[in-house]
């Protein structure tokens, strides 16, 4: 019997396109914000350091709550609404002209984006066969890593002949693509609600129980702390590169 190819699954294929578009758009956007803060608004190092915090902190604080929400709601509907809100805040970011307001918009947009990730992971488990789950997860991770390399490169290339605000529009266009794909997925009615998706526990109880498990197991707690610490260090160093470069240029003269 011939083995079915992963991309023959139209639901997974659409989800893959949506997540890829969102990944590339976010990295274009982040590169644009670094440029705006450093070269257009001449913000100090503290403001620039807060950019990755605005991107990452909502994910750290709200990921578990988002997972509980994804267990109880229509996955495609949740992803669709998340992308819609992300598009709204991206358009608002385009018209923002000061660092403090931009950080606020970035934080709110990151809060909406947090809801998409667990819904996306749960949906993959529902529409992909068990023997293809590893392949599906690996492909999405590979594409995310490719986006982390190619996204800033394309963003830097775009800034040679356009403006940072244009890169924000690229992210808005990526949101529209993602929304269109998710809408077709939503319209097709292929969101299968798994039996495990329903829980007898209340969201507040589930959230507190999750943190109790982390704090009761010292190894798990250390792993979580090490992961978030290393992530913040990498992001903060990336943020300071835009400061170090002009500083080194000034010292050379």
């Amino acid at each position: 019997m011939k083995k079915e190819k992963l991309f023959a699954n139209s639901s997974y294929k659409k989800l893959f396109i949506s997540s890829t578009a969102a990944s590339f758009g976010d990295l274009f956007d982040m590169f644009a914000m670094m440029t705006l803060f450093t070269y257009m608004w001449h913000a100090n190092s503290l403001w620039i350091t807060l950019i990755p915090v605005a991107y990452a902190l909502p994910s750290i604080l709200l990921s578990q709550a988002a997972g509980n929400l994804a267990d109880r709601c229509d996955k495609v509907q949740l992803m669709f609404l998340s992308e819609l809100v992300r598009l709204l805040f991206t358009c608002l970011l385009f018209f923002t002209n000061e660092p403090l307001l931009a950080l606020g918009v970035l934080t709110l947009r990151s809060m909406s984006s947090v809801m998409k990730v667990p819904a996306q992971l749960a949906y993959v488990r529902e529409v992909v066969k068990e023997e293809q789950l590893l392949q599906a997860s690996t492909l999405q991770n590979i594409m995310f890593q490719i986006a982390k390399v190619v996204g800033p490169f394309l963003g830097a290339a775009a800034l040679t002949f356009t403006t940072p605000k244009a890169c924000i529009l690229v992210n808005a266009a990526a949101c529209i693509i993602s929304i269109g794909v998710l809408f077709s997925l939503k319209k097709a009615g292929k969101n299968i609600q798994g039996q495990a998706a329903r829980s007898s526990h209340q969201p507040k109880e589930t959230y507190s129980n999750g943190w109790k498990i982390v704090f009761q197991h010292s190894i798990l707690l250390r792993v979580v702390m090490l992961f978030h610490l290393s992530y913040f260090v990498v992001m903060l160093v990336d943020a300071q590169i835009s400061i170090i470069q002009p500083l080194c240029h000034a010292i050379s003269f």
Side-chain angles (χ1 to χ4, degrees):
M1 187 175 178
K2 189 176 180 180
K3 187 177 180 180
E4 183 183 358
K5 293 183 179 179
L6 181 60
F7 281 102
N9 185 331
S10 61
S11 296
Y12 176 77
K13 182 166 64 175
K14 290 177 180 179
L15 184 66
F16 182 82
I17 293 170
S18 171
S19 62
T20 300
S23 296
F24 274 96
D26 277 341
L27 289 163
F28 254 86
D29 186 288
M30 189 172 185
F31 197 86
M33 293 312 301
M34 293 288 190
T35 306
L36 277 172
F37 271 68
T38 305
Y39 300 106
M40 306 292 289
W41 297 338
H42 303 290
N44 60 42
S45 58
L46 177 61
W47 289 113
I48 297 172
T49 302
L50 289 176
I51 297 175
V53 175
Y55 276 93
L57 189 60
S59 177
I60 295 172
L61 297 179
L62 301 175
S63 290
Q64 190 175 5
N68 294 333
L69 185 63
D71 284 342
R72 291 166 171 76
C73 299
D74 183 295
K75 276 72 172 176
V76 178
Q77 182 77 11
L78 190 60
M79 289 187 288
F80 179 80
L81 291 175
S82 175
E83 283 296 291
L84 205 59
V85 174
R86 196 167 77 93
L87 175 62
L88 176 64
F89 281 119
T90 300
C91 293
L92 182 60
L93 193 63
F94 178 80
F95 296 102
T96 303
N97 291 310
E98 58 180 65
L100 181 60
L101 184 57
L103 286 171
V105 174
L106 283 173
T107 303
L108 291 173
R109 191 183 64 178
S110 297
M111 290 172 66
S112 67
S113 298
V114 170
M115 302 302 167
K116 182 181 177 183
V117 177
Q120 180 176 294
L121 294 173
Y123 187 71
V124 169
R125 290 196 299 269
E126 291 179 356
V127 299
V128 175
K129 294 180 180 179
E130 187 175 353
E131 62 269 19
Q132 293 179 322
L133 282 175
L134 180 59
Q135 182 186 1
S137 177
T138 302
L139 280 173
Q140 286 184 289
N141 285 330
I142 289 173
M143 187 52 63
F144 178 70
Q145 297 302 326
I146 290 174
K148 286 174 67 176
V149 175
V150 178
F153 175 78
L154 293 177
L159 285 174
T160 60
F161 57 86
T162 187
T163 64
K165 289 293 183 78
C167 289
I168 296 176
L169 288 180
V170 171
N171 191 21
C175 285
I176 293 172
I177 293 172
S178 181
I179 288 170
V181 174
L182 290 172
F183 180 76
S184 67
L185 193 60
K186 180 172 173 285
K187 192 174 180 181
K190 293 191 177 182
N191 185 28
I192 306 166
Q193 294 293 337
Q195 294 181 356
R198 303 297 178 184
S199 174
S200 59
H201 298 290
Q202 294 297 321
K204 184 178 179 180
E205 181 185 351
T206 308
Y207 185 80
S208 61
N209 287 341
W211 281 112
K212 283 180 182 177
I213 292 173
V214 173
F215 284 104
Q216 287 173 356
H217 295 79
S218 59
I219 295 178
L220 182 59
L221 178 61
R222 290 170 188 171
V223 170
V224 170
M225 291 177 63
L226 180 62
F227 171 79
H228 287 109
L229 179 62
S230 59
Y231 182 80
F232 263 114
V233 168
V234 171
M235 293 293 286
L236 291 176
V237 171
D238 284 346
Q240 297 303 323
I241 289 175
S242 58
I243 301 173
I244 294 171
Q245 184 178 357
L247 182 62
C248 292
H249 181 74
I251 292 174
S252 65
F253 284 95

